[in-house]
PDB file of all heavy atoms in Angstrom:
ATOM      1  N   VAL K  46      -1.833 -11.964  -0.210  1.00  0.00           N
ATOM      2  CA  VAL K  46      -1.269 -13.075  -0.956  1.00  0.00           C
ATOM      3  C   VAL K  46      -1.250 -12.749  -2.438  1.00  0.00           C
ATOM      4  O   VAL K  46      -0.255 -12.911  -3.157  1.00  0.00           O
ATOM      5  CB  VAL K  46      -2.054 -14.347  -0.691  1.00  0.00           C
ATOM      6  CG1 VAL K  46      -1.615 -15.481  -1.703  1.00  0.00           C
ATOM      7  CG2 VAL K  46      -1.808 -14.750   0.686  1.00  0.00           C
ATOM      8  N   ARG K  47      -2.403 -12.148  -2.967  1.00  0.00           N
ATOM      9  CA  ARG K  47      -2.416 -11.739  -4.401  1.00  0.00           C
ATOM     10  C   ARG K  47      -1.421 -10.706  -4.734  1.00  0.00           C
ATOM     11  O   ARG K  47      -0.763 -10.714  -5.759  1.00  0.00           O
ATOM     12  CB  ARG K  47      -3.816 -11.340  -4.758  1.00  0.00           C
ATOM     13  CG  ARG K  47      -4.775 -12.527  -4.725  1.00  0.00           C
ATOM     14  CD  ARG K  47      -6.075 -12.373  -5.467  1.00  0.00           C
ATOM     15  NE  ARG K  47      -6.621 -11.015  -5.670  1.00  0.00           N
ATOM     16  CZ  ARG K  47      -7.445 -10.449  -4.765  1.00  0.00           C
ATOM     17  NH1 ARG K  47      -7.826 -11.009  -3.686  1.00  0.00           N
ATOM     18  NH2 ARG K  47      -7.898  -9.237  -4.986  1.00  0.00           N
ATOM     19  N   VAL K  48      -1.215  -9.674  -3.865  1.00  0.00           N
ATOM     20  CA  VAL K  48      -0.206  -8.619  -4.061  1.00  0.00           C
ATOM     21  C   VAL K  48       1.146  -9.312  -4.044  1.00  0.00           C
ATOM     22  O   VAL K  48       2.017  -8.995  -4.887  1.00  0.00           O
ATOM     23  CB  VAL K  48      -0.354  -7.525  -2.974  1.00  0.00           C
ATOM     24  CG1 VAL K  48       0.857  -6.636  -3.054  1.00  0.00           C
ATOM     25  CG2 VAL K  48      -1.627  -6.728  -3.164  1.00  0.00           C
ATOM     26  N   GLY K  49       1.383 -10.218  -3.123  1.00  0.00           N
ATOM     27  CA  GLY K  49       2.699 -10.923  -3.056  1.00  0.00           C
ATOM     28  C   GLY K  49       2.979 -11.660  -4.371  1.00  0.00           C
ATOM     29  O   GLY K  49       4.147 -11.694  -4.757  1.00  0.00           O
ATOM     30  N   LEU K  50       2.021 -12.380  -4.844  1.00  0.00           N
ATOM     31  CA  LEU K  50       2.248 -13.186  -6.100  1.00  0.00           C
ATOM     32  C   LEU K  50       2.557 -12.208  -7.274  1.00  0.00           C
ATOM     33  O   LEU K  50       3.506 -12.452  -8.021  1.00  0.00           O
ATOM     34  CB  LEU K  50       1.034 -13.998  -6.440  1.00  0.00           C
ATOM     35  CG  LEU K  50       0.738 -15.160  -5.493  1.00  0.00           C
ATOM     36  CD1 LEU K  50      -0.590 -15.772  -5.753  1.00  0.00           C
ATOM     37  CD2 LEU K  50       1.918 -16.197  -5.543  1.00  0.00           C
ATOM     38  N   ALA K  51       1.885 -11.026  -7.376  1.00  0.00           N
ATOM     39  CA  ALA K  51       2.181 -10.102  -8.354  1.00  0.00           C
ATOM     40  C   ALA K  51       3.620  -9.558  -8.179  1.00  0.00           C
ATOM     41  O   ALA K  51       4.350  -9.358  -9.180  1.00  0.00           O
ATOM     42  CB  ALA K  51       1.122  -8.954  -8.368  1.00  0.00           C
ATOM     43  N   ALA K  52       3.999  -9.300  -6.978  1.00  0.00           N
ATOM     44  CA  ALA K  52       5.357  -8.731  -6.669  1.00  0.00           C
ATOM     45  C   ALA K  52       6.402  -9.727  -7.061  1.00  0.00           C
ATOM     46  O   ALA K  52       7.422  -9.327  -7.699  1.00  0.00           O
ATOM     47  CB  ALA K  52       5.440  -8.440  -5.166  1.00  0.00           C
ATOM     48  N   GLU K  53       6.185 -10.998  -6.781  1.00  0.00           N
ATOM     49  CA  GLU K  53       7.171 -12.044  -7.202  1.00  0.00           C
ATOM     50  C   GLU K  53       7.255 -12.091  -8.670  1.00  0.00           C
ATOM     51  O   GLU K  53       8.400 -12.171  -9.247  1.00  0.00           O
ATOM     52  CB  GLU K  53       6.663 -13.446  -6.686  1.00  0.00           C
ATOM     53  CG  GLU K  53       7.072 -13.697  -5.239  1.00  0.00           C
ATOM     54  CD  GLU K  53       8.570 -13.765  -5.063  1.00  0.00           C
ATOM     55  OE1 GLU K  53       9.231 -14.590  -5.756  1.00  0.00           O
ATOM     56  OE2 GLU K  53       9.107 -12.923  -4.280  1.00  0.00           O
ATOM     57  N   LYS K  54       6.158 -12.049  -9.367  1.00  0.00           N
ATOM     58  CA  LYS K  54       6.194 -12.031 -10.835  1.00  0.00           C
ATOM     59  C   LYS K  54       7.032 -10.865 -11.445  1.00  0.00           C
ATOM     60  O   LYS K  54       7.670 -11.051 -12.495  1.00  0.00           O
ATOM     61  CB  LYS K  54       4.741 -11.951 -11.391  1.00  0.00           C
ATOM     62  CG  LYS K  54       4.574 -12.060 -12.882  1.00  0.00           C
ATOM     63  CD  LYS K  54       3.170 -12.076 -13.268  1.00  0.00           C
ATOM     64  CE  LYS K  54       3.037 -12.097 -14.800  1.00  0.00           C
ATOM     65  NZ  LYS K  54       1.588 -12.099 -15.220  1.00  0.00           N
ATOM     66  N   HIS K  55       6.992  -9.761 -10.806  1.00  0.00           N
ATOM     67  CA  HIS K  55       7.700  -8.549 -11.303  1.00  0.00           C
ATOM     68  C   HIS K  55       9.029  -8.304 -10.553  1.00  0.00           C
ATOM     69  O   HIS K  55       9.712  -7.350 -10.853  1.00  0.00           O
ATOM     70  CB  HIS K  55       6.792  -7.306 -11.198  1.00  0.00           C
ATOM     71  CG  HIS K  55       5.659  -7.402 -12.107  1.00  0.00           C
ATOM     72  ND1 HIS K  55       4.451  -7.882 -11.755  1.00  0.00           N
ATOM     73  CD2 HIS K  55       5.579  -7.019 -13.337  1.00  0.00           C
ATOM     74  CE1 HIS K  55       3.586  -7.831 -12.826  1.00  0.00           C
ATOM     75  NE2 HIS K  55       4.273  -7.320 -13.777  1.00  0.00           N
ATOM     76  N   ASP K  56       9.403  -9.263  -9.707  1.00  0.00           N
ATOM     77  CA  ASP K  56      10.600  -9.148  -8.940  1.00  0.00           C
ATOM     78  C   ASP K  56      10.746  -7.798  -8.263  1.00  0.00           C
ATOM     79  O   ASP K  56      11.813  -7.129  -8.272  1.00  0.00           O
ATOM     80  CB  ASP K  56      11.875  -9.459  -9.844  1.00  0.00           C
ATOM     81  CG  ASP K  56      13.107  -9.615  -8.999  1.00  0.00           C
ATOM     82  OD1 ASP K  56      13.032 -10.086  -7.871  1.00  0.00           O
ATOM     83  OD2 ASP K  56      14.222  -9.273  -9.529  1.00  0.00           O
ATOM     84  N   HIS K  57       9.669  -7.315  -7.712  1.00  0.00           N
ATOM     85  CA  HIS K  57       9.623  -6.045  -7.051  1.00  0.00           C
ATOM     86  C   HIS K  57       8.668  -6.209  -5.799  1.00  0.00           C
ATOM     87  O   HIS K  57       7.475  -6.492  -6.085  1.00  0.00           O
ATOM     88  CB  HIS K  57       9.235  -4.939  -7.958  1.00  0.00           C
ATOM     89  CG  HIS K  57       9.477  -3.519  -7.373  1.00  0.00           C
ATOM     90  ND1 HIS K  57      10.726  -3.086  -7.114  1.00  0.00           N
ATOM     91  CD2 HIS K  57       8.587  -2.557  -7.154  1.00  0.00           C
ATOM     92  CE1 HIS K  57      10.639  -1.839  -6.613  1.00  0.00           C
ATOM     93  NE2 HIS K  57       9.378  -1.473  -6.587  1.00  0.00           N
ATOM     94  N   HIS K  58       9.117  -5.909  -4.655  1.00  0.00           N
ATOM     95  CA  HIS K  58       8.405  -6.295  -3.453  1.00  0.00           C
ATOM     96  C   HIS K  58       8.069  -5.136  -2.510  1.00  0.00           C
ATOM     97  O   HIS K  58       8.955  -4.363  -2.209  1.00  0.00           O
ATOM     98  CB  HIS K  58       9.169  -7.376  -2.694  1.00  0.00           C
ATOM     99  CG  HIS K  58       9.553  -8.541  -3.553  1.00  0.00           C
ATOM    100  ND1 HIS K  58      10.730  -8.575  -4.194  1.00  0.00           N
ATOM    101  CD2 HIS K  58       8.854  -9.672  -3.912  1.00  0.00           C
ATOM    102  CE1 HIS K  58      10.766  -9.643  -4.947  1.00  0.00           C
ATOM    103  NE2 HIS K  58       9.668 -10.297  -4.841  1.00  0.00           N
ATOM    104  N   PRO K  59       6.807  -5.045  -2.155  1.00  0.00           N
ATOM    105  CA  PRO K  59       6.426  -3.910  -1.254  1.00  0.00           C
ATOM    106  C   PRO K  59       6.537  -4.224   0.215  1.00  0.00           C
ATOM    107  O   PRO K  59       6.803  -5.399   0.555  1.00  0.00           O
ATOM    108  CB  PRO K  59       4.944  -3.753  -1.543  1.00  0.00           C
ATOM    109  CG  PRO K  59       4.479  -5.192  -1.765  1.00  0.00           C
ATOM    110  CD  PRO K  59       5.680  -5.788  -2.456  1.00  0.00           C
ATOM    111  N   ASP K  60       6.476  -3.259   1.072  1.00  0.00           N
ATOM    112  CA  ASP K  60       6.242  -3.457   2.457  1.00  0.00           C
ATOM    113  C   ASP K  60       4.709  -3.614   2.555  1.00  0.00           C
ATOM    114  O   ASP K  60       3.999  -2.798   2.012  1.00  0.00           O
ATOM    115  CB  ASP K  60       6.832  -2.299   3.326  1.00  0.00           C
ATOM    116  CG  ASP K  60       8.337  -2.296   3.344  1.00  0.00           C
ATOM    117  OD1 ASP K  60       8.967  -3.349   3.113  1.00  0.00           O
ATOM    118  OD2 ASP K  60       8.819  -1.225   3.542  1.00  0.00           O
ATOM    119  N   VAL K  61       4.246  -4.545   3.336  1.00  0.00           N
ATOM    120  CA  VAL K  61       2.882  -4.721   3.573  1.00  0.00           C
ATOM    121  C   VAL K  61       2.564  -4.795   5.042  1.00  0.00           C
ATOM    122  O   VAL K  61       3.213  -5.469   5.733  1.00  0.00           O
ATOM    123  CB  VAL K  61       2.417  -6.056   2.900  1.00  0.00           C
ATOM    124  CG1 VAL K  61       0.880  -6.331   3.084  1.00  0.00           C
ATOM    125  CG2 VAL K  61       2.681  -6.053   1.370  1.00  0.00           C
ATOM    126  N   HIS K  62       1.507  -4.009   5.432  1.00  0.00           N
ATOM    127  CA  HIS K  62       1.119  -4.057   6.825  1.00  0.00           C
ATOM    128  C   HIS K  62      -0.325  -4.532   6.820  1.00  0.00           C
ATOM    129  O   HIS K  62      -1.261  -3.905   6.324  1.00  0.00           O
ATOM    130  CB  HIS K  62       1.167  -2.528   7.347  1.00  0.00           C
ATOM    131  CG  HIS K  62       2.575  -1.967   7.184  1.00  0.00           C
ATOM    132  ND1 HIS K  62       3.544  -2.199   8.007  1.00  0.00           N
ATOM    133  CD2 HIS K  62       3.012  -1.201   6.207  1.00  0.00           C
ATOM    134  CE1 HIS K  62       4.699  -1.558   7.587  1.00  0.00           C
ATOM    135  NE2 HIS K  62       4.327  -0.920   6.436  1.00  0.00           N
ATOM    136  N   LEU K  63      -0.490  -5.719   7.509  1.00  0.00           N
ATOM    137  CA  LEU K  63      -1.804  -6.350   7.496  1.00  0.00           C
ATOM    138  C   LEU K  63      -2.462  -6.291   8.864  1.00  0.00           C
ATOM    139  O   LEU K  63      -1.734  -6.458   9.935  1.00  0.00           O
ATOM    140  CB  LEU K  63      -1.563  -7.870   7.232  1.00  0.00           C
ATOM    141  CG  LEU K  63      -2.676  -8.835   7.445  1.00  0.00           C
ATOM    142  CD1 LEU K  63      -3.818  -8.576   6.495  1.00  0.00           C
ATOM    143  CD2 LEU K  63      -2.132 -10.314   7.276  1.00  0.00           C
ATOM    144  N   GLY K  64      -3.652  -5.915   8.922  1.00  0.00           N
ATOM    145  CA  GLY K  64      -4.449  -5.861  10.111  1.00  0.00           C
ATOM    146  C   GLY K  64      -5.862  -6.357   9.886  1.00  0.00           C
ATOM    147  O   GLY K  64      -6.206  -6.700   8.731  1.00  0.00           O
ATOM    148  N   TRP K  65      -6.620  -6.338  10.892  1.00  0.00           N
ATOM    149  CA  TRP K  65      -8.012  -6.795  10.677  1.00  0.00           C
ATOM    150  C   TRP K  65      -8.823  -5.851   9.894  1.00  0.00           C
ATOM    151  O   TRP K  65      -9.004  -4.655  10.244  1.00  0.00           O
ATOM    152  CB  TRP K  65      -8.705  -6.990  12.088  1.00  0.00           C
ATOM    153  CG  TRP K  65      -9.989  -7.785  12.022  1.00  0.00           C
ATOM    154  CD1 TRP K  65     -10.125  -9.090  12.292  1.00  0.00           C
ATOM    155  CD2 TRP K  65     -11.258  -7.321  11.543  1.00  0.00           C
ATOM    156  NE1 TRP K  65     -11.432  -9.467  12.016  1.00  0.00           N
ATOM    157  CE2 TRP K  65     -12.148  -8.396  11.613  1.00  0.00           C
ATOM    158  CE3 TRP K  65     -11.788  -6.083  11.127  1.00  0.00           C
ATOM    159  CZ2 TRP K  65     -13.454  -8.316  11.252  1.00  0.00           C
ATOM    160  CZ3 TRP K  65     -13.067  -5.986  10.723  1.00  0.00           C
ATOM    161  CH2 TRP K  65     -13.922  -7.099  10.767  1.00  0.00           C
ATOM    162  N   GLY K  66      -9.177  -6.254   8.720  1.00  0.00           N
ATOM    163  CA  GLY K  66      -9.950  -5.404   7.802  1.00  0.00           C
ATOM    164  C   GLY K  66      -9.254  -4.332   7.067  1.00  0.00           C
ATOM    165  O   GLY K  66      -9.851  -3.518   6.480  1.00  0.00           O
ATOM    166  N   ARG K  67      -7.949  -4.393   7.097  1.00  0.00           N
ATOM    167  CA  ARG K  67      -7.132  -3.355   6.328  1.00  0.00           C
ATOM    168  C   ARG K  67      -5.769  -3.883   5.977  1.00  0.00           C
ATOM    169  O   ARG K  67      -5.245  -4.689   6.691  1.00  0.00           O
ATOM    170  CB  ARG K  67      -7.026  -2.121   7.172  1.00  0.00           C
ATOM    171  CG  ARG K  67      -6.227  -2.267   8.373  1.00  0.00           C
ATOM    172  CD  ARG K  67      -6.112  -0.940   9.257  1.00  0.00           C
ATOM    173  NE  ARG K  67      -5.829  -1.216  10.611  1.00  0.00           N
ATOM    174  CZ  ARG K  67      -4.686  -1.802  11.078  1.00  0.00           C
ATOM    175  NH1 ARG K  67      -3.778  -2.218  10.159  1.00  0.00           N
ATOM    176  NH2 ARG K  67      -4.497  -2.005  12.322  1.00  0.00           N
ATOM    177  N   VAL K  68      -5.318  -3.340   4.851  1.00  0.00           N
ATOM    178  CA  VAL K  68      -3.973  -3.638   4.418  1.00  0.00           C
ATOM    179  C   VAL K  68      -3.315  -2.360   3.854  1.00  0.00           C
ATOM    180  O   VAL K  68      -3.971  -1.638   3.058  1.00  0.00           O
ATOM    181  CB  VAL K  68      -3.955  -4.676   3.272  1.00  0.00           C
ATOM    182  CG1 VAL K  68      -2.551  -4.906   2.698  1.00  0.00           C
ATOM    183  CG2 VAL K  68      -4.575  -6.020   3.742  1.00  0.00           C
ATOM    184  N   THR K  69      -2.164  -2.025   4.361  1.00  0.00           N
ATOM    185  CA  THR K  69      -1.434  -0.851   3.773  1.00  0.00           C
ATOM    186  C   THR K  69      -0.276  -1.463   2.989  1.00  0.00           C
ATOM    187  O   THR K  69       0.549  -2.302   3.482  1.00  0.00           O
ATOM    188  CB  THR K  69      -0.962   0.034   4.923  1.00  0.00           C
ATOM    189  OG1 THR K  69      -1.933   0.496   5.661  1.00  0.00           O
ATOM    190  CG2 THR K  69      -0.140   1.237   4.344  1.00  0.00           C
ATOM    191  N   VAL K  70      -0.206  -0.987   1.688  1.00  0.00           N
ATOM    192  CA  VAL K  70       0.840  -1.412   0.793  1.00  0.00           C
ATOM    193  C   VAL K  70       1.765  -0.211   0.539  1.00  0.00           C
ATOM    194  O   VAL K  70       1.263   0.902   0.261  1.00  0.00           O
ATOM    195  CB  VAL K  70       0.267  -1.930  -0.540  1.00  0.00           C
ATOM    196  CG1 VAL K  70       1.346  -2.363  -1.492  1.00  0.00           C
ATOM    197  CG2 VAL K  70      -0.755  -3.033  -0.267  1.00  0.00           C
ATOM    198  N   VAL K  71       3.074  -0.398   0.708  1.00  0.00           N
ATOM    199  CA  VAL K  71       4.106   0.621   0.546  1.00  0.00           C
ATOM    200  C   VAL K  71       5.108   0.215  -0.532  1.00  0.00           C
ATOM    201  O   VAL K  71       5.722  -0.813  -0.402  1.00  0.00           O
ATOM    202  CB  VAL K  71       4.787   0.916   1.907  1.00  0.00           C
ATOM    203  CG1 VAL K  71       5.784   2.060   1.714  1.00  0.00           C
ATOM    204  CG2 VAL K  71       3.839   1.122   3.037  1.00  0.00           C
TER     205      VAL K  71
END
Side-chain angles (χ1 to χ4, degrees):
V46 170
R47 290 196 335 269
V48 170
L50 291 171
E53 277 295 303
K54 183 178 178 180
H55 292 92
D56 192 29
H57 192 62
H58 307 92
D60 290 334
V61 177
H62 307 277
L63 170 65
W65 195 97
R67 65 181 159 60
V68 175
T69 301
V70 180
V71 182

